[in-house]
């Protein structure tokens, strides 16, 4: 089925152009002032047409933790948030430590409405499995304590993984970041530093970064601080924890000076009951609030649309070697989101599609909303309605 996105302003090569986008056979066929006949039309007058977001950091919770989320509900939240591809993290039950677990996840993820990729987990004894894993985003090493039992503290084992894994992503905080960078340089490896959250960390990364080392920040660290943690308690508790205003400013500065490469949600849903308990688990959902919050930041002149799109689409595709995604270009995959930069609304728990049904941003007013989400050329989300069309696993190259 062909599709015409008509009358919008389209982000092409960093500029907003008044063009129509003709989509057929899953691809962007033409960016044109013409109006080719299409089976379906989307009226995008007054709207902005962006490449669909690629979220490099999502905990879909399947298998084993599906009372919090599963691939289907995570993908609904993603679609409602303009995210057309996500990479799933390995701290499930069981964790993704061997090929069998990975293959099982591949089956489970087939119900996803958005495209997906997987991280592979590093344990103290799965190096042979790591060597065999194919088409993964990276091997994820937990170098600090967080949700799940995936912490690796043995330096010899960590070094062995850096030696053998082609690409490594780390949950590393503070001094552990220095260690990860040192090993990435020693073995000339791709290193993706997840959810960097402090001023000191940004300063270190700015100094030590190479063309193989990449830095992610998460929306909760950009839009919340430790004072929100005090107010919201467990609901604003995640790892790394929320930091000071000074740290937050450093993250924004890091975005400006290109120390930061990507914004990834670290969508980490837990139930409200779990979060309101005496020992709440770390993590907050973020898939459907990231883009509205960032659009709101564009309206507040904290960010340009071009930069937003680089951090959430073009850079993820380039860094992880996903061909034909991340920008709007003829011949590229038709993963597209149509947003309304002028629509104002209040983020509300009731309106969320994540299974956990709450957000640390509940009650926050934003200007900027997702209207239409297109995945592989199919309109799968518009104005709170979903079309149940399955998406597919991405191919990582490089
Ligand atoms: O807050 C967090 N939650 N940080 C992590 O690193 C893991 C995540 C989770 O899986 O809940
Ligand atoms: Zn983490
Ligand atoms: Zn995470």
């Amino acid at each position: 089925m062909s599709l015409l996105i008509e009358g919008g302003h389209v982000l092409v090569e960093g500029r907003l152009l008044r063009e129509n986008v003709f989509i057929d056979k899953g691809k962007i066929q033409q960016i044109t002032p013409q109006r080719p006949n299409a089976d379906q039309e989307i009226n995008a007058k007054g709207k902005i047409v962006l490449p669909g977001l690629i979220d490099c950091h999502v905990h879909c919770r399947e298998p084993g933790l599906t009372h919090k989320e599963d691939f289907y509900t995570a993908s609904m939240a993603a679609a409602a948030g303009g995210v057309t591809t996500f990479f799933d993290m390995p701290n499930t039950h069981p964790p993704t430590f061997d090929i069998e677990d990975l293959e099982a996840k591949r089956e489970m993820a087939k119900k996803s409405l958005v495209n997906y990729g997987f991280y592979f987990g590093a344990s103290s004894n799965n190096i042979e499995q790591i060597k065999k894993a194919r088409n993964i985003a990276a091997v994820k090493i937990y170098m600090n304590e967080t949700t799940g039992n995936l912490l690796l503290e043995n330096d010899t084992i960590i070094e062995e993984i850096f030696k053998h894994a082609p690409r490594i992503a780390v949950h590393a905080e503070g001094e552990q970041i220095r260690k990860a960078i040192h090993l990435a340089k020693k073995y000339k490896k791709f290193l993706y530093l997840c959810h960097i959250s402090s001023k000191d960390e940004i300063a270190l990364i700015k100094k030590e970064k190479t063309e193989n080392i990449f830095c992610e920040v998460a929306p909760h660290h950009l839009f919340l601080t430790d004072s929100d943690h005090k107010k919201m308690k467990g609901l604003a508790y995640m790892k790394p924890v929320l930091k000071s205003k000074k740290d937050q400013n450093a993250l924004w500065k890091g975005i400006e000076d290109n120390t930061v490469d990507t914004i990834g949600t670290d969508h980490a849903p837990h139930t409200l009951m779990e979060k309101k308990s005496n020992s709440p688990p770390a993590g907050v959902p973020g898939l459907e609030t990231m883009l509205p919050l960032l659009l709101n930041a564009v309206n507040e002149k904290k960010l340009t649309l071009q930069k937003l799109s680089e951090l959430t689409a073009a850079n993820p595709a380039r860094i992880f070697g996903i061909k034909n995604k991340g920008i709007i270009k003829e011949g590229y995959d038709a993963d597209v989101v149509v947003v309304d930069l002028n629509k104002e609304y209040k983020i509300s728990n009731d309106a969320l599609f994540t299974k956990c049904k709450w957000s640390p941003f509940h009650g926050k007013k934003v200007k900027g909303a997702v209207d239409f989400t297109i995945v592989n050329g199919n309109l799968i989300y518009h104005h709170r309605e979903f079309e149940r069309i399955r998406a597919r696993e991405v191919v990582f190259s490089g």
Side-chain angles (χ1 to χ4, degrees):
M1 198 156 87
S2 57
L3 179 65
L4 187 71
I5 306 173
E6 193 257 325
H9 284 83
V10 189
L11 190 73
V12 182
E13 290 175 7
R15 290 194 306 149
L16 284 178
L17 307 178
R18 172 65 186 77
E19 299 273 18
N20 303 323
V21 181
F22 179 66
I23 290 167
D24 196 15
K25 301 185 179 69
K27 303 276 179 196
I28 296 166
Q29 301 289 356
Q30 287 179 63
I31 301 164
T32 171
Q34 252 67 61
R35 289 198 51 172
N37 279 332
D39 303 322
Q40 198 176 12
E41 284 194 10
I42 289 175
N43 179 356
K45 283 199 184 71
K47 313 272 165 81
I48 289 166
V49 183
L50 299 172
L53 275 57
I54 300 174
D55 185 347
C56 306
H57 193 149
V58 173
H59 299 266
C60 291
R61 303 297 194 207
E62 195 174 353
L65 300 162
T66 53
H67 63 292
K68 301 174 197 267
E69 196 79 287
D70 60 49
F71 280 106
Y72 183 62
T73 54
S75 76
M76 286 169 89
V83 171
T84 53
T85 299
F86 55 43
F87 307 162
D88 172 63
M89 283 292 172
N91 61 338
T92 44
H93 287 180
T96 319
F97 281 159
D98 62 41
I99 303 297
E100 219 176 295
D101 297 324
L102 177 63
E103 292 307 323
K105 253 192 188 177
R106 287 198 158 115
E107 277 306 308
M108 293 166 203
K110 284 184 177 164
K111 56 184 169 292
S112 175
L113 302 173
V114 304
N115 297 316
Y116 47 88
F118 306 97
Y119 288 91
F120 201 74
S123 80
S124 56
N125 59 2
N126 75 338
I127 196 77
E128 291 310 316
Q129 296 293 312
I130 286 174
K131 287 182 197 165
K132 285 188 206 149
R134 294 289 172 270
N135 200 41
I136 53 169
V139 172
K140 175 80 183 280
I141 311 179
Y142 287 84
M143 295 172 73
N144 298 88
E145 190 83 63
T146 181
T147 310
N149 282 327
L150 277 76
L151 177 65
L152 265 191
E153 286 181 298
N154 183 316
D155 283 343
T156 319
I157 293 172
I158 291 174
E159 181 146 1
E160 195 68 5
I161 294 162
F162 269 87
K163 214 185 280 177
H164 293 289
R167 306 204 284 210
I168 295 113
V170 291
H171 177 127
E173 302 182 38
E175 277 309 300
Q176 297 297 65
I177 294 173
R178 196 183 294 279
K179 192 194 289 176
I181 290 177
H182 166 76
L183 289 171
K185 286 184 176 171
K186 182 167 172 189
Y187 294 103
K188 300 194 170 49
K189 287 293 166 75
F190 169 112
L191 175 65
Y192 186 75
L193 297 161
C194 294
H195 48 43
I196 293 308
S197 64
S198 80
K199 186 178 178 196
D200 291 349
E201 292 171 351
I202 284 281
L204 172 70
I205 293 162
K206 184 175 179 178
K207 190 160 144 262
E208 296 290 333
K209 213 161 175 262
T210 66
E211 69 280 4
N212 253 337
I213 297 177
F214 306 100
C215 169
E216 171 197 88
V217 297
H220 42 263
H221 295 122
L222 289 173
F223 297 107
L224 300 171
T225 63
D226 48 7
S227 70
D228 295 293
H229 187 188
K230 274 194 202 106
K231 273 183 254 158
M232 287 191 267
K233 310 241 167 36
L235 294 186
Y237 170 57
M238 74 293 291
K239 295 268 184 81
V241 296
L242 292 172
K243 305 284 181 340
S244 70
K245 193 78 199 165
K246 208 169 69 189
D247 292 301
Q248 188 184 62
N249 290 338
L251 302 184
W252 283 101
K253 184 85 196 348
I255 284 178
E256 229 176 271
D257 71 14
N258 296 322
T259 305
V260 173
D261 298 288
T262 66
I263 303 178
T265 57
D266 196 3
H267 178 80
H270 299 283
T271 65
L272 251 187
M273 215 167 60
E274 291 165 338
K275 291 297 272 182
K276 287 187 167 168
S277 72
N278 289 331
S279 53
V284 295
L287 271 169
E288 51 212 299
T289 47
M290 171 164 70
L291 184 51
L293 288 165
L294 290 173
L295 293 171
N296 190 61
V298 168
N299 274 314
E300 288 175 348
K301 307 269 184 281
K302 290 188 83 157
L303 195 69
T304 63
L305 265 181
Q306 178 187 4
K307 189 81 184 176
L308 180 162
S309 191
E310 275 171 26
L311 291 162
T312 57
N315 290 355
R318 177 179 50 78
I319 290 170
F320 286 89
I322 304 175
K323 291 201 180 111
N324 300 321
K325 290 195 193 294
I327 55 173
I328 295 194
K329 188 174 173 174
E330 289 178 0
Y332 270 53
D333 293 349
D335 293 346
V336 179
V337 55
V338 180
V339 301
D340 187 337
L341 207 45
N342 297 312
K343 196 185 283 176
E344 289 183 75
Y345 74 103
K346 241 189 209 178
I347 293 172
S348 164
N349 288 348
D350 313 329
L352 298 174
F353 293 102
T354 168
K355 203 182 273 187
C356 75
K357 279 273 177 198
W358 66 274
S359 162
F361 298 104
H362 172 73
K364 184 176 165 61
K365 259 199 219 146
V366 287
K367 190 173 177 185
V370 174
D371 278 355
F372 303 92
T373 304
I374 295 146
V375 177
N376 304 324
N378 302 308
L379 177 58
I380 60 145
Y381 172 84
H382 66 99
H383 305 98
R384 306 194 52 74
E385 299 286 333
F386 296 89
E387 194 70 48
R388 269 187 109 135
I389 300 174
R390 291 168 164 203
R392 54 175 168 257
E393 188 176 352
V394 296
V395 177
F396 296 105
S397 60

